[in-house]
Amino acid sequence: MKFRSSNVNRMVFVLVISFAFIGVTDSVFAAQKVPIRFDDYHGYNGTVKYIKDVVKVHGNITKLIEIGKSNMGRPIYVLVITNMKKGTTVDTYVKLRNMRKEGVKNVPPMKPYQGKPGHWICGSTHGNEYTGTEVCLYIIDKLVSGYDSDPKIKQLIDDQTFYICPMVNPDGVYNSVDKGISQRQNSMMKDDDGDGKINEDGYDDLNGDGHITQFRYKNPKGQYVIDDEDPRLMIRLRRNEKTEKQRYSVIREDKDNDGDGKRGEDSERGIDLNRNFPEGWFTDGGMAGGQGDYPTSAPESHAIAEFFTNHTNILMAQFYHTSGGFTYRPLGTAPHDKLHPKDVAVFDRIMGKKYLEIIGEEVPEAWKETGSLDKFKEELKKTSKNKYAIARGYELPRGWRVSYNEARDRRYGYGMASDWAYLQYGMYSITTELWNPQKDIKDFPQFTGENARIKVRRALLKYQDEKYGGKLFVPWKKFKHPELGEGEIGGWKPKYRSNALPGKPLLDVCEKHWQFELFRAGLQPEIVITDAKARVLYTVNKANNAVASQKGDQVSIKKGKSMGTYKIVEVNVTIENKGKLATHIARGAQLAGNREDVVWLIGDRDKITYLQGTPFQKLGVIEGTMRIPGDSGREAARPPQQPQMRRMPRFIPPGFPMRRMRRQRLQPTEVKSGGTKRKVKWLVAVEGDTPLKVVVTSQKGGTKVKNLSIQ
Ligand SMILES: [Zn+2]
C-alpha cells in the first residue's frame, strides 16, 4: 500500500495551527538547544533524529548506545544522560577476577556512569503505545535543557545516570506512527500462513486516503451497532446481548492479498514483547498468546536482558505503556506475598502516594496514617474478601495497582518486564499506563457508572471536533469491498486512537510523569565517604632493631631477604548513605546478580600488607535517610558478621605488639553500626610512601574514591 505524503503534511500543518489557540506557547521551550514540540507524535524517524541531535549538542552529558537491532534492522537505542566527566567504577582500581574485556559483546569494561545510581525509563514496548515514547522525549528535553539553568537538575545529572530507551519496539512504533498501521507486537519475518511467502498479507489502505481506518458493513451476525447519539461511533455489543438495531461487523481496512480466502493473516506482526521476558514465562493454552518461543526470543527483549545484566547500577525502572492513566507496581505474575513487606511500603506508601497526588486521585487513608495499619487490617477483615488486601491493610486504589487479579486469586500476566526487573535485578520497577482523557484533558466532562466508557468516547470525539477541527477522525464514506461488498470506511485515524492527543493533553501527560520520575530520582541512594584518616602508629626500618626501637615508634621488619621501610598505619573510614532509600531493595543483595556494598583499601599490592582487615570489607546494605512508613525495621538489612580470621596475617612485622594483635584478631574488621553509617578500620604495613586509596562501591548507591594522606 502507498501513502500520499501530501495528506500527512497537510494534517501536520492543520495541527500546528490548531494548537496555537490551546495554549502551547513558545516560552515553554525557551531553554532548548535542540527544539522539540509535542504538536504531533515523533514516530520512529522523528525520535531517532531528535536523540541524535541531542547527542550532537549535549555531548558532555549524553551518549547514545545501540543495544540491539529489531528484526527489521532498526536500532534499539538507549540514551545515557549523565555528566560523562564525573563518576568512577571499582574496576578502575581493582583487577577483578573476571575482568571485563573490550570486544566481548555487550560486556565492555564498566563506564564511569555505571558507578552512579541508575534510572531506567523506556517507552513503546508495545508499538502502538507511543505516548510513552513522547514522555521519554519530554524527560530527555527536561534533563538536557535544564542542566545549565536548573541547579537541581544539574546535580541529578552529575550524581546519577539516566538510561532512556524511547522505543523498545522500534518496528512497532514505525508501523504504528510513521506508517499509520497500529501494531502492538514486534515485527517478524515469518510465513504465518505457510504459503512460502513472508508478510504478504497485512492490512490495506483500501480507499487510498493514507490511513488504515475501519470498514463497517451490515452483517446479521455482527457484534456492533451504530451509536444513537453519535452515529460515527460503533458500539460493541456484549456477548449474547439482544438488539433490534441493525448489526454491523467492523474490521480494519483489509483485503485478501494472497487469494487464500483470509484477510490480514500474514502481516509483519510478531510477538508481544511484554510477554517475552523470563519472569513467569510459560505457554498455556488457556491464556492469551504472543509470548514467543522461549524467554527473550525477541531481539528487543534480549537486548534489554543483556543491558540490565551489564548495567547493575539500575535501582529505578519505568516501563511506559498506554492507556488508562494508572500505574502497575509488581507483581502481575504472582500474588502479593511474593513481595518483601518493606518493598511494598516503599512502592505503595512512598511512590504510590506521590503518584496519586500527581494524577489527582485520593490517597488511601492507610497510606497517610501509617502507624495504625493493624487497625485498617481489622476493619478490612469485616468488609473485604480480598485476603491480600487484608494482609496489607488496604485495597489498592485505581491509580496504583497490581495486574495480579487479587479478587479471583489468579495471575494476569506472564513474561512481563517489570516483574522480572524487580524479582531478578532488584529494581523498583513500575509500568505506567499513560493517558486518561478524563484526567489529562482540562475541563473534560467526568463520567461514572455503566455507560461511562461510551460517554468518554463520545466526548473525546466531540473534543477533537472542537480543538482539532475534526482532523483526527475520518468520516464514514461508502465503499465497496472486493470481498465483503457494500459498506463504509471511516473512524479515528489510527495514530490518534488510544494515545494522548497531541498538543496540550500530551504535554500535560508528559509533565505529570516527568514530575513523578523526578520525585523517584530524588529517592535514590547516595554513597559518600564522609571521613577517612590514615595515622602512622609505628615506623620500622631495620629488622634487627625492631624490638629495641620501640622507643618512639621505630620498629624494624623483614620482608623476604630484603629490608624495607614500613609504616604501620591505622586507617579509619566512615561511609554514609546520604540518599533517601537503601542501596538495595529489601531482597536485593540476595539476588544472583547483586551484591552487598563493599569498601576497599587499595594500594600497590607488593607494598602493602593487611595486618587487620582484608583488602575489601563487606558493608551489607546501607539504609537510606528516609523513614519507610509502616516498616518496622525488623527486616532491615544489617551489616553481616564477618568470618573470623583463622590464621595470622601473611607476615607480621617483628616487634609488632602481639598482645594488641591478638586482641584485634578477635574482631579483624571493625565494620561498625547499622543504619545509614558504616565505620571501617584497617591496620596495614605500608612500604615507603606508596599511596593509599579508599574505594567504596555500591552497585546501586554509587562508587566513591578518596585518596588518603598518611599522617
Ligand atoms: Zn502495553
Side-chain angles (χ1 to χ4, degrees):
M1 65 224 72
K2 277 189 180 151
F3 289 92
R4 294 204 302 260
S5 62
S6 61
N7 266 336
V8 176
N9 289 341
R10 198 184 314 144
M11 188 180 65
V12 172
F13 177 69
V14 170
L15 286 172
V16 171
I17 294 295
S18 54
F19 292 132
F21 69 84
I22 51 176
V24 181
T25 60
D26 282 322
S27 65
V28 177
F29 308 104
Q32 293 172 335
K33 285 184 194 161
V34 183
I36 183 167
R37 303 181 68 104
F38 294 86
D39 302 339
D40 203 357
Y41 310 117
H42 289 85
Y44 173 78
N45 286 320
T47 299
V48 171
K49 184 182 183 310
Y50 175 71
I51 53 180
K52 286 190 170 173
D53 287 349
V54 163
V55 175
K56 269 182 226 153
V57 174
H58 298 279
N60 55 330
I61 52 167
T62 58
K63 180 183 159 80
L64 193 59
I65 311 178
E66 184 183 319
I67 64 166
K69 268 194 168 66
S70 71
N71 283 321
M72 308 307 274
R74 293 190 183 93
I76 302 157
Y77 287 118
V78 169
L79 183 71
V80 185
I81 304 181
T82 187
N83 181 343
M84 293 293 163
K85 293 214 174 80
K86 250 189 112 182
T88 190
T89 56
V90 67
D91 61 354
T92 314
Y93 309 95
V94 186
K95 274 220 178 307
L96 300 177
R97 200 170 299 153
N98 301 304
M99 204 59 188
R100 290 158 175 249
K101 293 187 176 71
E102 284 291 0
V104 178
K105 194 183 165 223
N106 277 348
V107 194
M110 280 192 263
K111 303 286 187 295
Y113 54 75
Q114 287 176 264
K116 307 182 198 182
H119 195 143
W120 168 268
I121 301 172
C122 70
S124 294
T125 300
H126 292 142
N128 57 358
E129 302 178 5
Y130 34 83
T131 303
T133 297
E134 300 300 326
V135 175
C136 286
L137 298 183
Y138 187 91
I139 291 173
I140 291 170
D141 173 49
K142 284 289 167 188
L143 287 171
V144 298
S145 299
Y147 187 70
D148 291 328
S149 54
D150 186 335
K152 204 172 130 194
I153 291 175
K154 182 178 187 304
Q155 199 183 349
L156 276 183
I157 293 177
D158 285 346
D159 297 343
Q160 298 189 19
T161 301
F162 293 85
Y163 300 112
I164 305 185
C165 177
M167 298 180 292
V168 171
N169 176 4
D171 294 340
V173 175
Y174 178 78
N175 284 347
S176 298
V177 182
D178 303 54
K179 277 175 80 181
I181 305 168
S182 178
Q183 182 179 310
R184 173 186 174 93
Q185 299 86 346
N186 74 345
S187 290
M188 279 171 83
M189 299 292 287
K190 66 177 191 332
D191 177 16
D192 298 301
D193 55 355
D195 64 357
K197 285 175 253 165
I198 287 169
N199 299 349
E200 81 290 350
D201 197 353
Y203 299 109
D204 305 283
D205 182 12
L206 294 175
N207 61 355
D209 68 348
H211 307 286
I212 294 184
T213 53
Q214 291 177 313
F215 177 71
R216 70 181 183 191
Y217 61 101
K218 290 173 185 166
N219 181 355
K221 288 181 181 162
Q223 277 301 304
Y224 290 85
V225 294
I226 288 176
D227 183 31
D228 291 330
E229 284 189 33
D230 191 331
R232 293 176 295 179
L233 281 179
M234 301 305 291
I235 310 295
R236 195 187 170 91
L237 297 169
R238 288 187 298 276
R239 194 201 287 257
N240 300 326
E241 187 178 341
K242 297 215 166 18
T243 182
E244 297 299 309
K245 292 187 209 166
Q246 173 66 54
R247 285 173 173 266
Y248 282 82
S249 281
V250 182
I251 61 166
R252 274 207 248 185
E253 279 185 70
D254 197 6
K255 62 184 170 60
D256 179 13
N257 293 315
D258 53 357
D260 63 356
K262 291 176 192 145
R263 281 179 295 275
E265 82 292 348
D266 196 349
S267 69
E268 234 180 78
R269 268 193 318 179
I271 63 164
D272 186 331
L273 295 176
N274 205 27
R275 303 291 181 270
N276 189 234
F277 286 89
E279 184 57 41
W281 185 94
F282 73 128
T283 45
D284 177 329
M287 302 277 290
Q291 73 285 332
D293 293 336
Y294 56 89
T296 70
S297 63
E300 295 87 354
S301 33
H302 190 103
I304 287 176
E306 275 195 44
F307 189 81
F308 283 179
T309 306
N310 296 321
H311 293 77
T312 53
N313 59 326
I314 302 172
L315 183 62
M316 297 288 167
Q318 167 65 279
F319 300 83
Y320 282 124
H321 286 246
T322 316
S323 62
F326 59 83
T327 291
Y328 288 123
R329 58 95 158 141
L331 295 163
T333 55
H336 175 77
D337 25 19
K338 243 193 135 176
L339 255 80
H340 193 289
K342 190 183 167 198
D343 293 337
V344 172
V346 173
F347 271 127
D348 292 349
R349 278 165 274 165
I350 294 173
M351 295 182 190
K353 182 168 175 279
K354 181 71 178 182
Y355 184 74
L356 294 179
E357 285 163 7
I358 287 176
I359 65 167
E361 269 183 35
E362 206 172 316
V363 175
E365 282 303 310
W367 295 6
K368 299 182 208 158
E369 254 183 80
T370 53
S372 49
L373 267 181
D374 290 340
K375 181 188 88 187
F376 290 102
K377 287 177 189 175
E378 285 307 312
E379 280 172 13
L380 267 179
K381 274 182 193 163
K382 293 172 213 153
T383 57
S384 177
K385 284 186 181 135
N386 180 348
K387 64 178 174 185
Y388 303 115
I390 295 167
R392 277 190 302 261
Y394 49 87
E395 301 271 3
L396 288 168
R398 191 210 75 93
W400 187 265
R401 54 171 107 168
V402 291
S403 60
Y404 187 84
N405 188 334
E406 296 190 333
R408 297 170 70 184
D409 208 354
R410 220 176 67 177
R411 70 169 171 170
Y412 159 79
Y414 51 101
M416 296 191 299
S418 175
D419 277 11
W420 177 66
Y422 168 75
L423 289 170
Q424 189 64 37
Y425 293 95
M427 301 179 193
Y428 288 111
S429 57
I430 52 174
T431 301
T432 292
E433 296 281 357
L434 301 158
W435 181 234
N436 173 0
Q438 292 197 88
K439 294 273 181 196
D440 296 326
I441 295 178
K442 202 171 170 284
D443 301 327
F444 198 83
Q446 302 297 306
F447 305 106
T448 50
E450 211 189 329
N451 286 325
R453 284 178 81 122
I454 293 171
K455 287 174 186 164
V456 169
R457 287 176 60 202
R458 286 177 191 140
L460 206 55
L461 202 48
K462 219 175 124 204
Y463 183 80
Q464 75 87 36
D465 290 338
E466 288 163 7
K467 304 287 187 188
Y468 301 81
K471 298 290 175 190
L472 312 188
F473 190 93
V474 177
W476 296 97
K477 261 199 197 117
K478 280 208 160 122
F479 184 81
K480 191 167 182 228
H481 192 282
E483 297 131 34
L484 298 165
E486 291 297 339
E488 290 161 282
I489 287 176
W492 279 90
K493 286 178 186 166
K495 203 164 86 164
Y496 301 106
R497 215 167 57 188
S498 308
N499 279 276
L501 293 178
K504 187 76 169 68
L506 176 59
L507 274 171
D508 282 359
V509 170
C510 289
E511 176 62 23
K512 284 177 202 171
H513 292 87
W514 154 243
Q515 288 301 332
F516 184 52
E517 291 310 317
L518 201 54
F519 171 78
R520 296 213 311 152
L523 299 175
Q524 293 268 34
E526 187 196 356
I527 289 294
V528 182
I529 301 170
T530 47
D531 192 33
K533 284 199 181 76
R535 186 165 66 98
V536 179
L537 297 180
Y538 307 96
T539 305
V540 278
N541 284 323
K542 288 182 186 170
N544 293 341
N545 292 344
V547 179
S549 65
Q550 260 189 19
K551 192 180 86 187
D553 51 9
Q554 296 293 307
V555 188
S556 184
I557 59 164
K558 197 180 201 172
K559 188 195 173 203
K561 282 181 184 169
S562 66
M563 308 283 286
T565 304
Y566 282 79
K567 294 174 182 138
I568 309 300
V569 178
E570 183 190 72
V571 178
N572 281 290
V573 175
T574 306
I575 295 146
E576 281 182 60
N577 178 3
K578 296 208 160 181
K580 290 204 166 83
L581 293 178
T583 53
H584 276 297
I585 65 166
R587 59 200 300 282
Q590 278 75 51
L591 300 173
N594 282 355
R595 57 161 172 73
E596 58 191 89
D597 304 336
V598 168
V599 62
W600 294 76
L601 179 66
I602 295 174
D604 183 338
R605 64 192 301 170
D606 295 327
K607 294 183 174 174
I608 295 179
T609 303
Y610 296 87
L611 305 175
Q612 182 197 21
T614 43
F616 71 88
Q617 307 201 44
K618 295 177 176 181
L619 305 173
V621 174
I622 310 182
E623 293 299 317
T625 58
M626 191 178 209
R627 200 183 66 84
I628 309 302
D631 176 59
S632 61
R634 282 192 298 267
E635 312 270 1
R638 295 263 169 263
Q641 283 304 134
Q642 295 283 332
Q644 294 208 346
M645 216 186 277
R646 284 198 199 90
R647 284 171 285 130
M648 290 296 283
R650 192 153 50 86
F651 90 106
I652 299 165
F656 189 76
M658 292 301 287
R659 262 179 61 211
R660 184 186 164 95
M661 280 301 294
R662 277 200 198 93
R663 181 162 49 80
Q664 284 159 346
R665 203 152 46 98
L666 296 173
Q667 201 180 26
T669 59
E670 295 190 13
V671 179
K672 272 190 190 159
S673 80
T676 62
K677 245 186 220 180
R678 297 288 185 275
K679 288 187 182 212
V680 190
K681 185 177 173 180
W682 287 269
L683 211 54
V684 286
V686 178
E687 189 184 337
D689 288 323
T690 186
L692 289 176
K693 266 184 197 353
V694 174
V695 182
V696 56
T697 170
S698 164
Q699 264 182 331
K700 297 168 197 239
T703 298
K704 294 284 166 67
V705 184
K706 206 152 204 165
N707 293 316
L708 290 169
S709 65
I710 300 174
Q711 282 154 358

